[in-house]
Amino acid sequence: ERDGVGRAQRHASPPAMTQQHPGRDSPPVWWTDMAAADGAAPLRVAEWENGPEWRRENGWTGSDFVHAQTAPVHIPGYLLDSPGGGPRLVGAAHFGPAAESHRGLCHGGTMCALMDDVIGWCGFCASGTCEPWSGFTVQIDTSLRAPVAVGAWLRVEATIVRREGRKVWVEASLSDPLACSDGRPRVHCEAKGLFLIKKEDTLKSGGPLSCERL
């Protein structure tokens, strides 16, 4: 009987998404309202949306570290706008159980991973439209302000604040719109990054085509 139970456990089906990441299929109202608002411009990125077969056929070998549904910390998408003149990305990030470090709190590295992702994708939007892999992040300075609880949905945001030639400076933050102090959302993480746009002769012929702005 023990061997039988062992075999059953070894061959059991993987748990459903809701069991692996409870709450991931129910994004917060503040995010769904933003995404549904008039003028919202979500990024449509083929490598996030088209599944593992498409990724394999186009050179990827695994799942996206942040945007895959099974990622420990997951960003379902970004909205692109330019409220202050420079391009800005805003997204929602869900911290699943696999992001845990100490007793219900998430590893600080998950916040750093989010800062890396949003700064990079904001850099891809330096022209005002999304051009994936048109450059690369070369430096990030991250400050961790407050711990993140497992299961939290937080707002991730990045804005281009300066550009000189190929150099693009980006500022980013991770905050909780529902936990305010003095009328301001609680900030869990802040970062400043330097993004470098590739030289034109290093871009592939025709430019990157895997991302669209609706």
Side-chain angles (χ1 to χ4, degrees), residues 59-89:
W60 279 266
T61 60
S63 58
D64 193 280
F65 190 68
V66 169
H67 296 277
Q69 281 284 347
T70 54
V73 57
H74 168 65
I75 298 176
Y78 288 124
L79 303 177
L80 173 63
D81 62 8
S82 302
R88 179 183 73 166
L89 287 185

Side-chain angles (χ1 to χ4, degrees), residues 18-132:
T18 54
Q19 294 174 320
Q20 288 180 322
H21 302 283
R24 182 157 294 182
D25 56 353
S26 301
V29 173
W30 59 262
W31 169 247
T32 56
D33 285 351
M34 285 183 63
D38 291 341
L43 300 188
R44 298 296 305 274
V45 182
E47 64 201 66
W48 302 345
E49 299 181 357
N50 289 350
E53 183 175 349
W54 185 94
R55 289 176 65 89
R56 286 193 297 270
E57 291 175 351
N58 287 273
W60 279 266
T61 60
S63 58
D64 193 280
F65 190 68
V66 169
H67 296 277
Q69 281 284 347
T70 54
V73 57
H74 168 65
I75 298 176
Y78 288 124
L79 303 177
L80 173 63
D81 62 8
S82 302
R88 179 183 73 166
L89 287 185
V90 179
H94 179 257
F95 291 76
E100 186 176 41
S101 176
H102 179 67
R103 296 180 181 175
L105 299 178
C106 295
H107 195 288
T110 59
M111 288 189 272
C112 295
L114 291 186
M115 295 295 95
D116 186 12
D117 191 81
V118 73
I119 286 173
W121 281 95
C122 194
F124 295 154
C125 299
S127 66
T129 59
C130 184
E131 300 179 7

Side-chain angles (χ1 to χ4, degrees), residues 88-191:
R88 179 183 73 166
L89 287 185
V90 179
H94 179 257
F95 291 76
E100 186 176 41
S101 176
H102 179 67
R103 296 180 181 175
L105 299 178
C106 295
H107 195 288
T110 59
M111 288 189 272
C112 295
L114 291 186
M115 295 295 95
D116 186 12
D117 191 81
V118 73
I119 286 173
W121 281 95
C122 194
F124 295 154
C125 299
S127 66
T129 59
C130 184
E131 300 179 7
W133 315 115
S134 55
F136 39 87
T137 306
V138 296
Q139 182 176 345
I140 299 177
D141 182 9
T142 304
S143 298
L144 305 183
R145 303 294 189 189
V148 176
V150 171
W153 277 98
L154 300 179
R155 174 186 170 113
V156 58
E157 179 177 333
T159 303
I160 293 177
V161 296
R162 179 184 169 197
R163 179 174 176 179
E164 292 182 4
R166 295 169 56 211
K167 295 181 179 180
V168 179
W169 284 265
V170 183
E171 294 183 358
S173 64
L174 180 70
S175 62
D176 186 349
L178 303 182
C180 296
S181 176
D182 298 328
R184 297 182 179 181
R186 176 190 296 158
V187 175
H188 290 263
C189 179
E190 293 178 316

